[in-house]
Structures are given as structure tokens and as C-alpha cells.
């Protein structure tokens, strides 16, 4: 709970960052866990991605929490998809398991998801989570828009 309060009240350190190394770091860190549990992790990056304006630590925490949460509800031979794409002004990250239909999250999982959401929103990002099927979407602001005064 204290982490949520801190994430909400302490200003993030926003820096123009490539999202690909952050996603690679998270994926590499959990790949063995997925392999051991025979859960497939499929990553797709669509298009040329520009830098986003993020707090590296908060973003890593949010992405790691989401990946571990989705891993926890996934079954053997299911596929967890990590998709990254861009639009005019945002980078979109979707993490999902199309076969995982969850009625509700445990109290601990709900707290972790709330912290991930707070960390993303504190950076000006957008966050949505759906349980049927389990799908988390994060939209992050492209850095060049902020430096040009548009965001």
C-alpha cells in the first residue's frame, strides 16, 4: 500500500527512453519461469518504435508485475502475448492471454495490478485491464511530442 502512495505522490523521473530494451529486460528476466511452467511467451513488435517519456524504474516494475500476474493465471501450453505497436502519439503495449478468463483477482494480485496502474498513470500513461480474457493495455506518450510542447 505504501508503494502505491509513493508512486502517486512522488514525481517520476521522466526520461526519453527506447521501450524495446525495457521490454527485453523484463522478458529475459521471466523467460525461464515461463519455460519451466511450459507457458509460451510470444513477443511481437510492430513498426518502428520511437522513444517514450517514462520513469525507467516505475515502468520496469509495472511491466514485471503484469507479466508475473498473467503468468500466475496461465496454464501449461497457453500463450502469453506481448505486443508493442505505435500510433501517431503513443506506444501501445498489450500483454494478454486470450485463453485465460479470470472471474476476479486475489487481494494480492489486485494490489499489484493497482500499483502497476498507478506507476503507469503517474507518468502520464494510460492503463486498462480486462479479466475476460485477461488483457492489460498500456499506452505511453512518445517523447518527441513532449519535447515539442504537444503533450
Amino acid at each position: 500500500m505504501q508503494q502505491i502512495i509513493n508512486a502517486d505522490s512522488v514525481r517520476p523521473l521522466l526520461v526519453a527512453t527506447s521501450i524495446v530494451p525495457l521490454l527485453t529486460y523484463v522478458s529475459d528476466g521471466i523467460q525461464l519461469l515461463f519455460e519451466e511452467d511450459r507457458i509460451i511467451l510470444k513477443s511481437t513488435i510492430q513498426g518502428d518504435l520511437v522513444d517514450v517519456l517514462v520513469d525507467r524504474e516505475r515502468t520496469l516494475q509495472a511491466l514485471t508485475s503484469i507479466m508475473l500476474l498473467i503468468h500466475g493465471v496461465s496454464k501449461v501450453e497457453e500463450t502469453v502475448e506481448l505486443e508493442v505497436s505505435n500510433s501517431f502519439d503513443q506506444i501501445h503495449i498489450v500483454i494478454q492471454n486470450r485463453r485465460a478468463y479470470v472471474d476476479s483477482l486475489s487481494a494480492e494480485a489486485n494490489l499489484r495490478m493497482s500499483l502497476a496502474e498507478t506507476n503507469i498513470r503517474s507518468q502520464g500513461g494510460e492503463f486498462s485491464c480486462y479479466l475476460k480474457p485477461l488483457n492489460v493495455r498500456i499506452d505511453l506518450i512518445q517523447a518527441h511530442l513532449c519535447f515539442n510542447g504537444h503533450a
Side-chain angles (χ1 to χ4, degrees):
M1 186 60 91
Q2 185 64 39
Q3 289 177 314
I4 292 174
I5 293 168
N6 287 343
D8 201 31
S9 61
V10 176
R11 257 181 96 147
L13 176 61
L14 300 177
V15 177
T17 305
S18 172
I19 197 65
V20 175
L22 297 180
L23 293 168
T24 301
Y25 181 82
V26 171
S27 294
D28 288 352
I30 60 170
Q31 183 65 41
L32 183 59
L33 179 64
F34 275 71
E35 288 173 5
E36 286 176 351
D37 293 336
R38 297 187 346 212
I39 298 170
I40 301 159
L41 179 58
K42 178 184 170 193
S43 298
T44 306
I45 297 175
Q46 301 172 0
D48 294 328
L49 302 178
V50 298
D51 287 354
V52 290
L53 196 62
V54 296
D55 180 305
R56 184 182 186 330
E57 295 307 314
R58 290 183 189 205
T59 304
L60 286 173
Q61 184 283 327
L63 292 170
T64 301
S65 289
I66 294 163
M67 293 297 289
L68 290 173
L69 189 141
I70 291 180
H71 168 271
V73 299
S74 298
K75 296 182 174 95
V76 172
E77 301 301 323
E78 289 186 344
T79 300
V80 172
E81 299 170 69
L82 172 60
E83 300 172 352
V84 186
S85 62
N86 60 359
S87 65
F88 170 71
D89 59 350
Q90 295 179 324
I91 297 294
H92 310 288
I93 302 168
V94 176
I95 305 168
Q96 65 185 346
N97 179 340
R98 296 175 197 252
R99 292 175 56 191
Y101 285 77
V102 180
D103 290 323
S104 64
L105 297 175
S106 69
E108 180 182 344
N110 209 12
L111 191 60
R112 288 177 189 241
M113 190 65 78
S114 293
L115 177 58
E117 178 178 4
T118 301
N119 274 326
I120 294 302
R121 290 189 186 280
S122 72
Q123 303 173 69
E126 297 175 21
F127 184 98
S128 59
C129 176
Y130 301 95
L131 300 180
K132 295 182 180 187
L134 190 53
N135 172 308
V136 176
R137 179 181 169 126
I138 298 170
D139 298 324
L140 299 170
I141 300 169
Q142 292 183 8
H144 70 91
L145 294 175
C146 296
F147 293 131
N148 291 331
H150 293 98

